[in-house]
Amino acid sequence: MGIIVQEQAGLFHLQSSGMSYIIQMIDGYPVHIYWGSKLNHREPMSDMLIHTPDTAGLDRLPQEYPQYGSGDFRNPAYQVELVDGTRITELTYTGYRVTKGKPSLAGLPAVYTEDEAEADTLELELTDAYSSLKVTLCYSIFADRNVIVRSAHFSNAGGQELRLRRALSASIDFAGGRDLEMMYLSGAWAREGNITRTPLHQGETRIDSKRGMSSHQFNPFAALVTPETTEAQGEAFGFSLVYSGGFEADAEVDSFGSVRFSIGINAFDFAWLLSPGESFQTPETVMVYSGQGLGEMSRTYHRLYRTRLCRGRHRDEERPVLVNNWEATYFDFNADKLVSIAEEGAKLGIELFVLDDGWFGKRDSDNSSLGDWYEDRRKLPGGLADVAERINGLGLKFGLWVEPEMISPDSELYRRHPDWCLHVPGRRRSEARWQLVLDYTRQEVRDYIFDSLSAIFSAVPVSYVKWDMNRCLTEIGSAELPPERQAETAHRYVLGLYELLERITQAFPDILFESCSSGGGRFDPGMLYYMPQTWTSDNTDAAERLKIQFGTSLVYPVSAIGAHVSAVPNHQVGRITPLDFRGNVAMSGNFGYELDLTKFTDEDKETVRRQIVTYKEIRGLVQKGDLYRLKSPFEGNQSAWMFVSGNKKEALVYYFQVTAVPNAPRSYLQLAGLEPEFGYEVLPECSGSRSIYGGDRLMKLGLPLSYQQKDYESGWFRVRATDTPRE
């Protein structure tokens, strides 16, 4: 395993325990040979050499990082403008380097290793002799994971300026002769995470974001799959961009059936000036191969992101059960009201109280005070410290909502610094939610936010922070950048955000940070590097959350998925669902409540108390176990999933039915991820009595499920390995 080099043949074989990725140099160009299940490399590789007709040129060559202008008419991975206005460069191979471990990326989030034996890295050095542009393609392959991480580093080694107009993280050509489909996550605010699957035909299939954020509309993830690929079988090639800004992912099919897939920073409205001696680093793309269907692809991403992307003390700690006051009070609260909710929470077993929007400046609605990060003494006469200490006295930790990337025109900060927002002189400043976006390309802006938040976090016992971002970027320009660098603003904004997040999370390592962007508008690996969980969607309706959480799990671990029980009728869709149904959906993520606990009946309180006791028992398995998706809410009326421990000795199964079915046929649920030779006890939550079944039977035949004749039915049961002889 590792990286095998055949210098004479120009072959580089990257090999993990279950996967191979092979590159060959042809006429100085890095060419893609193979990506798939592991090849043992016992025999010579000369029979894999690609030979193309002399007349075919680059347009028929399956390349690793293609260029434009020299005979390849498909989408390029990069484009550079020279001082004479031409856009032609031709990168050719000049050398390589193999190292142990995986390098970090300066100023960018990245997956990492804790021991250099976990991965090996190949760097391919390419040079354009005319312009002296140098590009290093970086490939890190993990030894025990079917994962390759790719990025590109540009440097100007010449004496004249260069301007990047396109700089993607990865490009790969799949040879013709095979049918492929593209899968991705689409949606909008309050309906994120829809799984879309479409066959590829000649032409382009593209997803992107031009919003300055990864967006609700499309997630920076896509997979190419074969038509027969399901949860448990078939090939899947996943691409996940570790980036929080505008992106593009494109699958282009040429006239010969070859597929070029590329992903990276959106080239729309992007440019980057490289003066002599300067460099540019792309974000990295995490590429996962699965020969065992979508489920194995997802679990590979989950394990990697949970343990080698997320960082800090909270990475491995069980997450607290919380109550958030937002849907309970919105902006209308005082200190006593907050404490009364916390008091009820303490009686029910809640561990964390989160004070949401409205505690600062003169914030009585969405239309003011963002940027004025000091407590509102009208609502909180004793300040945040008083509220936090009273809540701590109940045995609960204290959490706080902030939206530090925004500024309200009606704020003291804006009146002092009207130029601190993203804007273009002479143009109108588009407001959304009565707010503008702070210019995070500017160091003084980031310093102000760091100092303001640090003052609060140092004076108040804050254990959790919900970091929100509630609008897209418009009028993307910076008063501090010269004209020739204005097209760098969007990317510099993201780099500025990352710099601030690094500073503040390192300064306050004991705080559990959760990212949010009106829900899932910035649910991406870049944010998970700094904050190990994300508020998945502002839509808290349990029936809608089945799809949202199911879809999000295609690439993101359950430990990153925030899920709350809210009041009924639901505030987003008006639906009324049973408390048990809402609880079972929310317990399939980082569990909490977002409602007024003081309004619960005694019966409701008993249900909540039972849910919290149960979740505290199972959350380790939910947050760290392997997820198996059993029934898709996108394909029918029923949904199901299960969590399996690493040793396969314990599992937890949840199942749901949205609407009642008259005279319904008997429903069986086939489990997954168990050890076929183990005997398993299915606890009474499902079977009604103590029963022992073989793992093979549970997975092949399954268990019968019974639903009552009413809408929004759900249930759960545990499965435990036992030494009792199998039936």
Side-chain angles (χ1 to χ4, degrees), residues 10 21 44 73 170 180 212 248 263 363 427 459 574 609 683 703 727:
Y21 190 101
F73 301 97
L180 289 173
E248 61 177 87
I263 188 169
R363 181 82 164 169
R427 303 282 184 174
R609 188 177 290 108
L683 299 185
L703 289 171
E727 287 187 342

Side-chain angles (χ1 to χ4, degrees), residues 18-19 35-37 146-147 235-238 287-291 297 300:
M19 178 184 72
W35 182 24
S37 59
N146 290 341
V147 174
E235 288 191 302
F237 302 86
M287 299 164 52
V288 167
Y289 169 75
S290 168
M297 177 196 72
T300 300

Side-chain angles (χ1 to χ4, degrees), residues 69 131 190 260 320-321 375 396 482 507 534 642 648 663:
S131 67
R260 171 167 292 174
V321 180
E375 57 236 317
L396 278 67
T534 300
M642 63 185 291
K648 299 185 181 295
N663 194 25

